[in-house]
Amino acid sequence: MRVVSGSAKGRPLKSVPGSGTRPTTDKVKEAVFSMIGPYFEGGAALDLFAGTGGLGIEALSRGMDSAVFVDMEQKSIDTVRANLKAAKLEAQAEVYRNDAGRALSALEKRGRSFDLVFLDPPYRLKHGDELMMAMAQKGLLRSDAVIVLEHESGYAYPEDIPGFYRTRQAVYGETTISIYQYESALREEAVSGKEGNDESAN
């Protein structure tokens, strides 16, 4: 594995030791970014089941300002840190060992929000849609945020998930990539309206 494009192009990435992690192949990674980018003018990314960190690192290499990496396995966390160092992107990253649900609650408490989210849960877990809705409820998604959901081809997520709509889908053997866009919620509009009123009051 390697960084496909951007500032860290060509830098090799380590795999997580053992067989418990299924890294996104370079071919699929390149296809994903051709659908959602391929490059970015800033923004914040979240790699929730980080594994090797390959997707979040690719996003940083292609122009994202910052990325948060989360995984519950220490071997993955160690691998993400090593890969960030190899790509010289440590300064733009935060790495946390936690399960997905607790991580979302912690990020909510910190007031974090994201433009791009990678969801690549273990194939045995079919809760990508639940995590997406939880992120929306916790205010973790910025207006028109993009969600990249990687799942096994034998399982189909709905085209429309409450608060989201699917914009693209592509199948690569046993892996399917579903791209969703977050529809700006009334809550966000209310917040932006409040901020506008606060500014005018100053």
Side-chain angles (χ1 to χ4, degrees), residues 23 26 50 66 110 130 132 159 184:
D26 287 350
S66 64
R110 293 186 188 123
E130 296 172 18
M132 288 164 60
E159 185 172 344
S184 302

Side-chain angles (χ1 to χ4, degrees), residues 9-64:
K9 180 179 179 179
R11 296 192 183 275
L13 300 175
K14 293 181 178 180
S15 297
V16 179
S19 57
T21 300
R22 169 186 38 78
T24 303
T25 65
D26 287 350
K27 177 184 175 183
V28 173
K29 192 160 54 176
E30 193 160 12
V32 165
F33 283 91
S34 72
M35 288 189 279
I36 65 172
Y39 300 100
F40 309 101
E41 295 180 0
L46 171 63
D47 196 344
L48 193 54
F49 296 86
T52 65
L55 289 169
I57 288 171
E58 190 74 33
L60 288 174
S61 180
R62 291 171 183 254
M64 280 279 162

Side-chain angles (χ1 to χ4, degrees), residues 36 135 172:
I36 65 172
M135 284 187 280
Y172 304 93

Side-chain angles (χ1 to χ4, degrees), residues 2-196:
R2 62 190 174 89
V3 180
V4 177
S5 191
S7 64
K9 180 179 179 179
R11 296 192 183 275
L13 300 175
K14 293 181 178 180
S15 297
V16 179
S19 57
T21 300
R22 169 186 38 78
T24 303
T25 65
D26 287 350
K27 177 184 175 183
V28 173
K29 192 160 54 176
E30 193 160 12
V32 165
F33 283 91
S34 72
M35 288 189 279
I36 65 172
Y39 300 100
F40 309 101
E41 295 180 0
L46 171 63
D47 196 344
L48 193 54
F49 296 86
T52 65
L55 289 169
I57 288 171
E58 190 74 33
L60 288 174
S61 180
R62 291 171 183 254
M64 280 279 162
D65 290 322
S66 64
V68 173
F69 297 82
V70 177
D71 204 287
M72 64 182 302
E73 299 295 334
Q74 187 61 49
K75 288 188 294 185
S76 290
I77 293 299
D78 294 341
T79 302
V80 171
R81 292 190 189 282
N83 285 336
L84 282 164
K85 186 175 182 179
K88 301 186 185 304
L89 293 168
E90 310 108 298
Q92 295 168 251
E94 299 171 49
V95 185
Y96 301 107
R97 184 183 179 191
N98 213 335
D99 67 51
R102 288 179 180 174
L104 295 183
S105 295
L107 291 166
E108 178 187 18
K109 287 178 183 176
R110 293 186 188 123
R112 303 299 297 272
S113 60
F114 302 95
D115 303 283
L116 175 62
V117 178
F118 298 104
L119 285 180
D120 185 11
Y123 282 174
R124 70 180 184 277
L125 301 178
K126 316 292 187 189
H127 67 334
D129 49 352
E130 296 172 18
L131 290 170
M132 288 164 60
M133 290 187 285
M135 284 187 280
Q137 290 163 0
K138 293 176 184 297
L140 296 175
L141 301 174
R142 295 177 183 171
S143 179
D144 300 323
V146 172
I147 314 294
V148 178
L149 177 59
E150 187 170 334
H151 54 99
E152 67 176 328
S153 298
Y155 184 78
Y157 280 97
E159 185 172 344
D160 291 303
I161 294 169
F164 304 84
Y165 61 95
R166 192 172 68 210
T167 59
R168 298 282 295 276
Q169 189 173 67
V171 179
Y172 304 93
E174 65 178 21
T175 298
T176 293
I177 302 293
S178 296
I179 311 290
Y180 289 89
Q181 188 153 5
Y182 177 52
E183 297 184 281
S184 302
L186 290 174
R187 171 179 169 177
E188 287 188 315
E189 292 175 5
V191 168
S192 63
K194 180 178 181 299
E195 288 173 348

